[in-house]
Amino acid sequence: MLRWAIPLCCVALSEADSPVKPMVTWSTYLGVADCDDPALWRGSLFLACHSPESDLPIQIAGSQRRGGTMAAYVLRLDLQRGNVAYATRVQAEALTAALRITTDEDGRAFVTGLARGPGLPVTDDAVQPHFGGGRSDAFLVAVAPDGQVAYGTYLGGAGDDVGNAVKLDGNGGVVVGGTTTSADFPGQTNAADRHADAFISSWRLSNPSSHRSVVFGGSSEEKLTGIELDGKGGVFAVGFTKSNDFPVHHPVQPNLRGASDLFLARIEVSDLTIAFSTYLGGSGDDSGWGVTVDGVGAPVVAGVTDSGDLPASDNAFQRMAHGGLDSFVATLDGSGYEHLRLTYFGGSQDDSSGFDGENVRVDSHGRVWLVGLTASADLPVRNAVQDSYGGQTDGFVAVFSPRLTDLSFGTFCGGSGRDILEGITDTPSGTVAVTGLTFSNDHPMPGRVIRQTRSSITVGGDVVNAFAWVFRNPSP
């Protein structure tokens, strides 16, 4: 899915159960249409973006723009100086979009997404040097600290493939997750005709022959929306399934309860076997849109629901659905992830926890951070940067106590048009960055303004622009 622009917030943290009250230090528009996902490294903010054109205050590295076709962009912002350190364009012959990003300890940025057709910048050590076919392939591109492409590979078969998650294991290994309809998806041992299924691919960047994949799902549709390494040799994958025969293993919920349910799976990275998998949902339509882990490696998931019968905890911050769609957050702990805590989060209208994963994080104090979008003017807020609803939809940031019993912070983020928050990252030192998009021509620009005016980038007849907020939380 493609979106059109980006808010960003960086926040320092305080005590685990005390209120959080961030202060905006600067804000700016950016000269691309949409940036979906952030990563932080040594005072730099990296963004995975896509846009049919650009208006960036810097010379752009990488491939040439092709006649208004959507291209992927990787941006690096220097948060100390408040400027763009580099902008790199990555483009195949047709639509190309960077959807997820992470960085290694040397400041290389790794992005995945989708590319339609040949022409992607691939390198000699690529796992797959050529476009596999179908409407799109997933890809992985690494950009060096100076903005030059250092690694590139396709990842896909004859069907439709999208990369929607990427993580690094810190030892030279990469894990990419996404969705495929390819019977011949590369790296798997049991090729089969399929509907849309989830995939996990893993390899050592220095050894293309180490590449292997697992494709999993049931007889109907699945979509993988996020992954997270647990620090214990496993990777959690989250998404949604419409299959009543999704492969479960020691499940918390063994059966599909509604039209679709969130799925959560833990996969051993060493051999890509499924060690745990479960449904999670109610009698309606439920989706998983993000996963992270807490300080001991237990999973925390976020999703969207229209079910009024999710298994909310007795002491949850919000035990009942409040109307339309609601967001929800759940933690699973215990030796078999059997202890479930869950809270709804929403107002009287539709509320959603982002779109494509990377929308939930656990900070160093155990608090759970969630971003998304809301059409509810009565969404709960606390110590808000923006305490009133702006327009058609607003982004939101919500921070819950570790056991999901209290709201530590909540704010709207938007103008009179459509505004969405969808991506989040953090650092151990206590910085949190969130990303999203806006169609508003009056999106609030608090704090020190670096670039006041929007670019005139148009997508589908609407002017869209990426933008950024940076927050700092004073000491309590």
Side-chain angles (χ1 to χ4, degrees), residues 318-393:
Q318 182 180 324
R319 292 188 59 196
M320 308 293 292
H322 281 177
L325 298 174
D326 274 6
S327 303
F328 67 91
V329 181
T331 65
L332 295 88
D333 58 24
S335 59
Y337 313 113
E338 68 275 13
H339 299 145
L340 175 69
R341 299 186 186 92
L342 185 147
T343 185
Y344 287 94
F345 183 66
S348 57
Q349 303 299 315
D350 286 344
D351 313 282
S352 176
S353 57
F355 280 104
D356 276 326
E358 297 296 339
N359 57 8
V360 61
R361 299 295 293 177
V362 176
D363 67 29
S364 59
H365 298 291
R367 290 186 298 243
V368 179
W369 292 69
L370 176 69
V371 297
L373 67 148
T374 180
S376 299
D378 56 351
L379 188 76
V381 296
R382 184 179 187 186
N383 290 332
V385 174
Q386 178 185 331
D387 59 8
S388 60
Y389 180 63
Q392 298 173 34
T393 64

Side-chain angles (χ1 to χ4, degrees), residues 97-163:
L99 303 177
R100 294 291 171 262
I101 190 168
T102 191
T103 58
D104 68 9
E105 62 182 8
D106 297 319
R108 291 188 298 173
F110 293 78
V111 297
T112 190
L114 65 94
R116 294 181 176 173
L120 194 76
V122 297
T123 50
D124 292 341
D125 50 357
V127 166
Q128 179 183 325
H130 304 294
F131 180 65
R135 295 182 68 244
S136 67
D137 273 4
F139 69 83
L140 180 71
V141 166
V143 179
D146 63 357
Q148 300 301 310
V149 173
Y151 177 88
T153 187
Y154 284 99
L155 190 60
D160 302 337
D161 313 285
V162 178

Side-chain angles (χ1 to χ4, degrees), residues 94-272:
L95 184 149
T96 312
L99 303 177
R100 294 291 171 262
I101 190 168
T102 191
T103 58
D104 68 9
E105 62 182 8
D106 297 319
R108 291 188 298 173
F110 293 78
V111 297
T112 190
L114 65 94
R116 294 181 176 173
L120 194 76
V122 297
T123 50
D124 292 341
D125 50 357
V127 166
Q128 179 183 325
H130 304 294
F131 180 65
R135 295 182 68 244
S136 67
D137 273 4
F139 69 83
L140 180 71
V141 166
V143 179
D146 63 357
Q148 300 301 310
V149 173
Y151 177 88
T153 187
Y154 284 99
L155 190 60
D160 302 337
D161 313 285
V162 178
N164 210 36
V166 57
K167 299 294 178 183
L168 304 174
D169 67 6
N171 296 307
V174 62
V175 182
V176 175
T179 305
T180 181
T181 66
S182 297
D184 59 344
F185 189 84
Q188 61 176 325
T189 57
N190 297 312
D193 292 334
R194 61 182 77 261
H195 299 280
D197 281 343
F199 76 80
I200 296 288
S201 281
S202 175
W203 70 98
R204 293 187 64 81
L205 290 165
S206 61
N207 182 11
S209 65
S210 66
H211 175 254
R212 61 207 188 281
S213 301
V214 60
V215 181
F216 59 99
S219 57
S220 190
E221 176 187 357
E222 279 80 33
K223 180 175 181 177
L224 183 148
T225 59
I227 64 173
E228 183 65 275
L229 297 173
D230 67 359
K232 302 176 181 179
V235 57
F236 285 103
V238 75
F240 66 80
T241 178
K242 297 181 179 180
S243 301
N244 59 15
D245 56 353
F246 183 83
V248 296
H249 192 72
H250 304 304
V252 173
Q253 177 186 317
N255 300 309
L256 181 73
R257 293 186 61 199
S260 72
D261 278 356
L262 176 151
F263 76 76
L264 175 67
R266 184 185 183 274
I267 296 167
E268 295 288 350
V269 177
S270 61
D271 58 7
L272 296 184

